[in-house]
Every structure is written in C-alpha cells, then in structure tokens.
Amino acid sequence: MFFKYETPRLLLKVLRADCAPQVLDFYNRDKELFEMYEIDRVPDFYTVKHLQKVLRYEYNMAVKSQLFRFYVFEKENPCRIIGTVCIHNIAPAFYGSCEIGYKFSSEFHHMGYATEAVGFCTKLAFNELRMHKVTAVVHPGNVPSMKLLNGLGFVQEGLLRDYLMLHGKWCNHYIYGLVNK
C-alpha cells in the first residue's frame, strides 16, 4: 500500500510526527463530538508531544502493514485535516478481514466526504490488502454512521454486547460487515 492517495475531491495521507500540530487542530475543533463515541483520553492527549508519539506509532504500524490511518484533506485545502479513516485489526490469511473506523469534522458533514473516503479505503482493503471482509463497529446512537455504512453496502450483522467502555459505562455496539465479492 502507498501512504498517499487521491480521490476525486480528497487527499488521504499517512502522516509523520511533524504533522502533530495539524492533528491537534483537527481533534480540538470537534473534541466533544469525537469524545462522545471514543474511549476516554489520556490526560496529555491534546498536546503536540503526545500526538507526535501517536503519529510515530501509526507510521511504524503502516510500514509493517498492520494499521493504516489516513488523514483526510480537501484537495482545495491540503493543509487542513477534515477527517480520518483507519484500517486496523488487519488479519490476513485465513481470516482475510480488517476493521475500518472513521471520523470527520462536523463542519464537513453531509458533503459526501466521509462516504468518498470510507468507500475508497474499503476498496483499498479489498484490492491492495486482499481482504475478504471489512467490518465496522458503531455505537447505537450514531445514526449518521449507520446510514453511511448502509449506503456503502455494509450489512448490520449483529450486536456486540458490552463491547466498549465509554465514559465509565460498558456500551453495546452494532457490527457491520461488507464481503468482497
């Protein structure tokens, strides 16, 4: 896999540690939205120093083809992150599966950017990583995410009970899957 891709309107890039200020800006713009559906942050999460460590880790995982977090930019504004799409839990060989996760700044919702980026990364997983199946987990309250997955052909396969602890409480999540035909 490559570390940079283009879609009709977007740039998707695996970033290096020197991009931590851009990543921090992205997280700070929609802190409340992102935290609603993600695990509690470590105390220093919203610092350049911490995000440099995260970016180094993500880059090294991409080099090993174990995780690919693509930061998403509009082609017209290639310096401002508008979202991320992450291909992770990559299990080749007999499983041939991976999981996809994503988040986009609220300023860019309802513009088709998430659909464009997630759809593109799903095809990458099938074509370049040779995955047989891509899955995604979604909090039951995240209706827009469920609509996005349904629109891309993902099927809700079941409920993962007490799947993830959010804000001190175990939460159920739906699991969606898409099989490479």
Side-chain angles (χ1 to χ4, degrees):
M1 287 232 325
F2 297 107
F3 285 24
K4 182 178 178 182
Y5 292 92
E6 289 187 26
T7 68
R9 301 181 295 164
L10 304 171
L11 299 172
L12 291 84
K13 299 189 265 187
V14 175
L15 298 181
R16 292 185 176 266
D18 61 339
C19 295
Q22 289 172 281
V23 174
L24 180 59
D25 173 64
F26 167 71
Y27 279 111
N28 277 326
R29 286 195 316 261
D30 274 300
K31 186 186 293 192
E32 289 180 24
L33 172 66
F34 297 151
E35 287 182 358
M36 196 169 12
Y37 299 112
E38 295 181 351
I39 60 172
D40 292 339
R41 306 287 192 203
V42 295
D44 67 342
F45 181 86
Y46 294 100
T47 65
V48 168
K49 184 177 179 181
H50 177 76
L51 292 173
Q52 286 172 330
K53 286 188 252 181
V54 169
L55 289 169
R56 275 196 280 293
Y57 170 80
E58 290 174 350
Y59 190 88
N60 289 333
M61 294 293 281
V63 168
K64 298 174 189 175
S65 294
Q66 294 176 336
L67 174 149
F68 296 92
R69 178 173 306 278
F70 293 102
Y71 290 86
V72 182
F73 303 80
E74 290 177 296
K75 282 184 178 177
E76 296 172 1
N77 188 358
C79 296
R80 186 172 187 228
I81 298 168
I82 66 167
T84 75
V85 180
C86 185
I87 301 169
H88 58 283
N89 291 342
I90 299 169
F94 302 108
Y95 292 101
S97 68
C98 65
E99 187 176 325
I100 196 162
Y102 46 88
K103 59 182 150 269
F104 279 76
S105 291
S106 59
E107 179 183 346
F108 299 93
H109 286 183
H110 310 293
M111 299 172 80
Y113 289 148
T115 300
E116 186 174 328
V118 174
F120 180 81
C121 287
T122 300
K123 289 176 185 169
L124 277 181
F126 289 149
N127 298 330
E128 293 194 28
L129 294 176
R130 303 198 189 290
M131 294 291 108
H132 174 68
K133 184 175 185 175
V134 177
T135 62
V137 294
V138 182
H139 186 278
N142 193 345
V143 175
S145 189
M146 290 185 256
K147 287 181 180 178
L148 181 146
L149 292 169
N150 284 326
L152 290 172
F154 282 75
V155 174
Q156 188 181 101
E157 296 181 342
L159 180 70
L160 301 170
R161 295 177 49 238
D162 289 350
Y163 175 74
L164 184 67
M165 184 176 283
L166 293 176
H167 317 297
K169 180 181 173 190
W170 286 104
C171 296
N172 298 336
H173 278 66
Y174 291 118
I175 185 162
Y176 283 76
L178 182 63
V179 174
N180 186 4
K181 299 186 188 223

